[in-house]
Amino acid sequence: SSSRAGGQPQTPPTPGRPAAFARRRWRWPSGAAGGSAHCRRAPSRVWALRPPVDDAMDIVIHQITALSTKNDSDLKKLKDFLRNEQETLKTNASGIEQALQSLDPVQNTLGVSFLLAAQLSTSTYSDARQTFAYVSAFLRTADEQQVKKGSVPFMSVCKSYAQMAIDLGQQMMLRSLIPLRCALETLRPNTETWTPVHTEFLRVCLKCKAYHLGAAILDSTVYDMPVTSGNCAHVTPQSFLCYFYYGALLRIGMKEFSQAVQLLLVVLTWPASCLSAIQADAYKKYVLVSLKLHGEVKALPVYTSHIIQKFAQNAGYMVELTQAFKQGDAATLQRIADEKVAAIKIDDNAGLVKQVLASLQRHKLLTLTKTYLTLSMAEIAKQVGLPEASPNAEVEALLFDMISGGEINARIDQTTGNVSFEEGLHDLDIAMVPKMQDRLQQILGLAQRVANFEREVVSSEAYIRKTTALEGGAVAGGAGAAPAGGGYDFMDM
């Protein structure tokens, strides 16, 4: 109940908020139980203590329109104001749709970003498809200067927008790809910088199976990521790891298994103090793709975290599948796949396991080419485990497929039924020349980047302070101390 003091009704305290905020925001709902009869009969006196929702949004709109200029100082003031009003915006989220109608998405990009972030985070909108269309247009036309000034709410809008597209179905996911790509291009300073919007874009590409559009982003190598204080809120290990994990899944979908392995290794070699679910899933995909691609699981790099190394030794059905594949036992491999079908489906690895089972015969045949120059088709069928009912037809189909794919070089003599395996060194050398030249250019470019990074670090203030401290410690340690620069690597900083 309320009491009266000085002719005004007292506002009850709001849990978790300062009393001043409670007095400013409180109003009695009409017909509410409790409170004095005076408060119920004269609500107009209470309105004086708290502006209505429309007035609160009017204040926000006024600040947005007044400070949305090309001046960085004005944009900083607007950003600070809106950042302090985020809870107010979420409380008044029901009035955001109307407020957006009075703002220009291009001239007021920073303000619209904050308003949309509050609206989408609370899922407060009357028509999801109408809101989706508005956000789509906003992401395509947003002002680059204001986007980079308010990157955190803009990234939040992109994340909510991607989830909204996934919830609305296949058609909306396809429609969201161009706006997300525009947002990505607006946000990143160059093609070599990763942003959290990269991850959301790949997630939608993966969901709607638009693998080729995601591959266009993956083709641009990432060398940098935003780590400034203004951007760190959405730059998390999860979003960074998911970028490479989603990228690997896209490469698998496009049958580009070599690139998929490289992306999975980025996830697996990320420093870890505890096991991540992303890394656990990535290791299972790594095992299956490696078995299909190489016929074996290559050891993880020595700099892989001991947490991942330990998990690799006890990775459930992956250990059993690897052992059976190594022994070349197709029956045992199929039995394990049947017994562990529930766990395989939970991990979404059913398709990859089927491909691994089918690749066992190909790897057996590939092994034969390294041992024999000529074999009969009947002997090949026996070695690779093909059915005895029609061995020649099965062997021919397998040989044609592998020859056309460039996996082996062989010639089939239809009169004798023999298969001659050839090395094809001449063709291999011609094909490898441009590939080797391209790879050498990449290596030289990477070496130049490392040299530039070394010069940047060595000349940085942080490095100089640390080496100066080490030199001071060496002097204080006396003659027995190690030299300041002896064995010190700037990469240890």
Side-chain angles (χ1 to χ4, degrees):
S1 64
S2 64
S3 60
R4 300 180 63 185
Q8 295 293 339
Q10 297 297 304
T11 57
T14 304
R17 296 185 180 180
F21 186 89
R23 286 195 296 272
R24 183 168 66 91
R25 294 297 180 193
W26 180 266
R27 68 165 177 168
W28 294 109
S30 60
S36 65
H38 172 78
C39 291
R40 292 196 299 272
R41 286 195 302 269
S44 59
R45 301 183 65 181
V46 182
W47 277 108
L49 297 177
R50 176 192 183 273
V53 173
D54 291 342
D55 290 350
M57 293 306 300
D58 284 344
I59 295 172
V60 172
I61 293 172
H62 174 73
Q63 291 293 326
I64 291 174
T65 54
L67 296 175
S68 294
T69 67
K70 295 295 183 180
N71 192 316
D72 285 342
S73 177
D74 288 342
L75 292 177
K76 184 179 184 305
K77 291 178 184 178
L78 178 59
K79 177 182 175 182
D80 293 340
F81 169 77
L82 293 173
R83 190 163 48 189
N84 293 330
E85 292 293 324
Q86 288 183 85
E87 290 303 321
T88 303
L89 293 176
K90 291 179 181 179
T91 303
N92 300 325
S94 58
I96 289 179
E97 278 191 359
Q98 184 178 356
L100 289 172
Q101 296 177 8
S102 61
L103 298 175
D104 183 86
V106 180
Q107 296 180 1
N108 309 123
T109 293
L110 181 58
V112 172
S113 295
F114 274 95
L115 292 178
L116 284 176
Q119 182 186 26
L120 297 177
S121 66
T122 57
S123 300
T124 308
Y125 36 78
S126 56
D127 188 337
R129 292 181 180 272
Q130 184 177 353
T131 302
F132 179 85
Y134 180 89
V135 179
S136 298
F138 170 69
L139 294 181
R140 286 196 297 265
T141 60
D143 179 70
E144 183 175 353
Q145 179 189 8
Q146 295 190 39
V147 163
K148 291 178 178 176
K149 182 63 68 172
S151 58
V152 171
F154 188 79
M155 285 188 263
S156 177
V157 170
C158 292
K159 184 174 182 179
S160 300
Y161 174 74
Q163 186 59 51
M164 182 185 291
I166 293 172
D167 294 338
L168 291 175
Q170 176 77 8
Q171 186 178 7
M172 292 304 176
M173 283 191 284
L174 291 172
R175 289 184 180 181
S176 70
L177 292 176
I178 292 179
L180 282 174
R181 180 63 187 265
C182 292
L184 187 154
E185 299 290 350
T186 303
L187 190 61
R188 65 179 178 179
N190 53 62
T191 59
E192 298 177 353
T193 301
W194 170 87
T195 70
V197 182
H198 283 70
T199 303
E200 298 305 321
F201 181 78
L202 292 188
R203 181 162 74 109
V204 178
C205 288
L206 194 60
K207 284 285 186 179
C208 65
K209 294 182 170 56
Y211 302 141
H212 62 291
L213 296 177
I217 292 295
L218 293 171
D219 289 339
S220 298
T221 306
V222 170
Y223 292 103
D224 196 10
M225 60 186 295
V227 292
T228 59
S229 58
N231 295 332
C232 282
H234 282 268
V235 179
T236 63
Q238 179 182 358
S239 62
F240 189 73
L241 289 178
C242 280
Y243 169 75
F244 292 98
Y245 179 67
Y246 294 155
L249 297 183
L250 286 170
R251 294 297 191 188
I252 291 172
M254 297 182 70
K255 309 296 183 183
E256 297 174 351
F257 297 106
S258 296
Q259 293 93 322
V261 167
Q262 294 302 317
L263 292 169
L264 290 170
L265 282 174
V266 175
V267 179
L268 294 174
T269 55
W270 181 267
S273 57
C274 62
L275 182 62
S276 163
I278 302 171
Q279 291 177 309
D281 275 354
Y283 180 75
K284 294 173 183 178
K285 297 285 192 302
Y286 172 77
V287 170
L288 294 174
V289 174
S290 296
L291 288 176
K292 175 174 174 53
L293 185 63
H294 304 297
E296 60 179 353
V297 181
K298 296 186 177 181
L300 293 172
V302 294
Y303 48 85
T304 305
S305 168
H306 70 281
I307 302 292
I308 305 300
Q309 298 279 12
K310 185 176 180 180
F311 173 77
Q313 298 173 4
N314 302 280
Y317 62 89
M318 289 299 162
V319 177
E320 301 176 49
L321 285 175
T322 303
Q323 290 297 329
F325 196 97
K326 185 177 181 180
Q327 295 169 4
D329 191 341
T332 302
L333 198 63
Q334 184 64 58
R335 178 181 56 79
I336 295 171
D338 293 338
E339 290 177 354
K340 306 295 182 180
V341 63
I344 291 172
K345 288 183 177 179
I346 290 174
D347 294 335
D348 288 330
N349 286 331
L352 271 178
V353 169
K354 289 181 180 179
Q355 294 185 58
V356 168
L357 293 175
S359 69
L360 180 60
Q361 294 176 345
R362 307 174 80 90
H363 286 290
K364 284 185 176 181
L365 180 54
L366 193 60
T367 302
L368 293 177
T369 65
K370 299 176 182 178
T371 307
Y372 301 96
L373 293 176
T374 305
L375 272 178
S376 67
M377 284 194 281
E379 186 63 26
I380 292 175
K382 180 180 178 181
Q383 291 287 340
V384 301
L386 288 171
E388 298 180 359
S390 56
N392 287 358
E394 295 283 347
V395 170
E396 281 189 24
L398 180 60
L399 285 169
F400 285 146
D401 189 28
M402 295 185 69
I403 292 171
S404 61
E407 298 178 57
I408 61 172
N409 288 286
R411 191 187 319 175
I412 303 174
D413 189 338
Q414 296 286 356
T415 58
T416 62
N418 291 333
V419 179
S420 302
F421 300 113
E422 302 173 353
E423 295 183 359
L425 292 178
H426 179 69
D427 294 338
L428 183 63
D429 288 344
I430 294 176
M432 285 298 294
V433 170
K435 292 182 179 179
M436 290 182 63
Q437 290 177 342
D438 183 59
R439 184 57 59 89
L440 284 173
Q441 291 296 326
Q442 294 179 14
I443 293 173
L444 291 174
L446 183 59
Q448 185 61 45
R449 285 179 178 273
V450 173
N452 294 338
F453 175 71
E454 181 176 1
R455 284 194 295 270
E456 180 181 345
V457 171
V458 171
S459 60
S460 67
E461 184 179 350
Y463 176 82
I464 294 172
R465 282 202 307 268
K466 186 164 186 176
T467 52
T468 302
L470 289 173
E471 290 173 358
V475 172
Y488 180 72
D489 187 353
F490 73 92
M491 294 298 289
D492 293 335
M493 186 173 64

